[in-house]
Amino acid sequence: MTSMVILAMVTTATMQADPRPRDAGVIVGTLPTGEHNAITDVEGVHVGHTTVIEDLPGGRAVRTGVTAVLPHGGNLFRDKVPAAVHVYNAFGKAAGLLQVEELGQIETPIVLTNTLSVGEALSATVRWSLDQPGNERVGSVNAVVGETNDGGLSDIRGMHVTREHVIAAIESAAEGPVAEGNVGAGTGTRALGFKGGIGTSSRVVTLGDDSYTVGVLIQANFGRDLRVLGVPIGSLLRAEDEGDGDGSCMVIIATDAPLDTRDLERVARRSFNGLVRTTSVMSNGSGDFAIAFSTGYRVMDRSREMISTRFATAFFQAVEEATEEAVYNALFAAETMTGHRGRTAEELPVGRTLELLRERGVLEEND
């Protein structure tokens, strides 16, 4: 038996052989990106991954992990951020979303993992939160956990994610570039007929003299018949699609814009406009959830003036563009993986994909 656990930090340098789509001329929309084209371009947002890869006797294999998104690096329970949730299709097992919807706030890291590890992730996130200095008398914590089902490549019934894996992802979370593809909660995912994974992107919105950032991180495990910039890449590549596209997608959205919870929900809702541009089918058995939060103010301090709803369209555009690009980033970064019972998820053939996009005149030439 061989066993390996990788703690993947927030660097792309050693995780990604292919260029990111934007570097190859796949330009989504018109808004500029932030410095890293990642959710961490929103100041204060941290991301960490724990990647769990293990080969077990009898053809069993573990290809799973945990991804943690922290709205800021302080005490989240004491310094809550405004938040909202939108459910596109509710075939999922996410935890903590009802209280976010009711109160409009997040008080823990947002943790992503596989479907059957939600309970372990919930318990670990609560434990971590209770153990933070200043929380010694806290008696109720609403941990937020999302999931997708990686049972095709991973021995999901073995429930291999541990408390230590969850806490490691939280405690390794950092600012800066974010690892994409086969890392963290995206380790065993499949999307749109290919190997899926974690993807992220950002956009900058300018309103007069002020600029704001919208960042998106996705756990891509959904859909079939990949489309890139409107081109039916999946059909052109004759990608073998297993099943009917069931699987799920978690969309985490951060912004430093002071949006109220109503507008945060509207932004979360629009993220699915970006998601559906990447596929022709959104299935019955896919749990698709978006969680949006703002770092532009704190729940207990509403002294900062909110951005008027009349400017919301700019943020809708930003989240739609960033979500679409995050899907492409996940697919370009993901690599072919063989896992449980010898099943294999093939990576997107990036070179051929770029050729097809070039033939149809949708790539922008780099200077």
Side-chain angles (χ1 to χ4, degrees), residues 75 88 91 227 235 273 303-304 350 367:
N75 187 320
Y88 187 81
F91 200 102
R227 294 174 179 267
S235 298
N273 290 347
S303 60
R304 183 168 181 178
V350 170
D367 295 332

Side-chain angles (χ1 to χ4, degrees), residues 113-171:
T113 188
N114 72 65
T115 304
L116 296 188
S117 295
V118 169
E120 189 69 27
L122 183 71
S123 174
T125 306
V126 169
R127 182 72 268 165
W128 181 87
S129 298
L130 293 176
D131 288 344
Q132 297 311 294
N135 294 350
E136 291 81 6
R137 298 180 65 84
V138 171
S140 175
V141 176
N142 185 57
V144 177
V145 180
E147 55 80 25
T148 71
N149 193 308
D150 57 18
L153 290 174
S154 190
D155 175 31
I156 194 169
R157 287 173 55 87
M159 301 172 69
H160 298 280
V161 170
T162 67
R163 175 175 293 185
E164 291 70 26
H165 293 144
V166 177
I167 292 176
I170 295 172
E171 294 189 342

Side-chain angles (χ1 to χ4, degrees), residues 205 207 307-316:
V205 172
L207 300 177
I307 291 178
S308 171
T309 295
R310 65 192 177 94
F311 297 116
T313 299
F315 296 97
F316 297 165

Side-chain angles (χ1 to χ4, degrees), residues 2 8 13 28 35 84 117 125 134 136 146 163 171 190 195 229 233 255 257 307 312 320 322 331 334 338 340 346:
T2 61
V28 178
E35 178 183 0
S117 295
T125 306
E136 291 81 6
R163 175 175 293 185
E171 294 189 342
R190 299 179 293 179
K195 180 66 185 70
L229 300 180
I233 294 296
T255 184
I307 291 178
E320 290 171 11
L331 291 172
T338 298
H340 192 53
E346 300 288 343

Side-chain angles (χ1 to χ4, degrees), residues 4 25 55 103 135 138 145-146 164 201 206 216 223 273 314 324 332:
M4 176 171 60
D55 295 321
L103 300 183
N135 294 350
V138 171
V145 180
E164 291 70 26
S201 184
T206 300
V216 171
N273 290 347
E324 181 180 359
F332 270 57

Side-chain angles (χ1 to χ4, degrees), residues 45-322:
V45 174
H46 294 56
V47 175
H49 301 298
T50 302
T51 300
V52 185
I53 297 177
E54 187 174 4
D55 295 321
L56 303 171
R60 296 165 61 220
V62 183
R63 305 287 188 267
T64 194
V66 181
T67 293
V69 179
L70 281 63
H72 60 75
N75 187 320
L76 286 161
F77 186 86
R78 296 294 178 187
D79 207 8
K80 298 174 175 61
V81 296
V85 172
H86 181 73
V87 180
Y88 187 81
N89 195 63
F91 200 102
K93 287 74 182 171
L97 301 190
L98 283 177
Q99 184 168 310
V100 176
E101 184 177 41
E102 180 72 17
L103 300 183
Q105 60 192 37
I106 283 176
E107 59 190 31
T108 73
I110 301 167
V111 172
L112 306 178
T113 188
N114 72 65
T115 304
L116 296 188
S117 295
V118 169
E120 189 69 27
L122 183 71
S123 174
T125 306
V126 169
R127 182 72 268 165
W128 181 87
S129 298
L130 293 176
D131 288 344
Q132 297 311 294
N135 294 350
E136 291 81 6
R137 298 180 65 84
V138 171
S140 175
V141 176
N142 185 57
V144 177
V145 180
E147 55 80 25
T148 71
N149 193 308
D150 57 18
L153 290 174
S154 190
D155 175 31
I156 194 169
R157 287 173 55 87
M159 301 172 69
H160 298 280
V161 170
T162 67
R163 175 175 293 185
E164 291 70 26
H165 293 144
V166 177
I167 292 176
I170 295 172
E171 294 189 342
S172 72
E175 300 172 287
V178 176
E180 300 176 300
N182 300 3
V183 295
T187 300
T189 64
R190 299 179 293 179
L192 300 156
F194 301 97
K195 180 66 185 70
I198 295 294
T200 188
S201 184
S202 69
R203 291 295 186 275
V204 176
V205 172
T206 300
L207 300 177
D209 295 330
D210 298 317
S211 292
Y212 304 99
T213 302
V214 175
V216 171
L217 181 142
I218 65 162
Q219 180 188 16
N221 192 52
F222 72 102
R224 62 185 185 190
D225 190 21
L226 169 66
R227 294 174 179 267
V228 179
L229 300 180
V231 178
I233 294 296
S235 298
L236 292 169
L237 292 174
R238 296 182 174 85
E240 292 294 330
D241 180 59
E242 296 183 19
D244 53 10
D246 290 351
S248 304
C249 188
M250 292 296 307
V251 184
I252 311 301
I253 304 152
T255 184
D256 54 6
L259 301 176
D260 65 21
T261 55
R262 182 172 181 273
D263 279 337
L264 284 172
E265 190 279 331
R266 299 173 74 212
V267 168
R269 193 188 323 162
R270 265 61 175 200
S271 69
F272 290 103
N273 290 347
L275 203 67
V276 298
R277 291 172 189 162
T278 68
T279 181
S280 63
V281 178
M282 295 294 285
S283 77
N284 167 72
S286 186
D288 305 306
F289 301 84
I291 303 169
F293 63 85
S294 172
T295 65
Y297 63 98
R298 298 294 187 260
V299 168
M300 298 303 292
D301 179 15
R302 292 288 296 269
S303 60
R304 183 168 181 178
E305 183 179 354
M306 297 295 104
I307 291 178
S308 171
T309 295
R310 65 192 177 94
F311 297 116
T313 299
F315 296 97
F316 297 165
Q317 178 184 351
V319 76
E320 290 171 11
E321 291 184 9

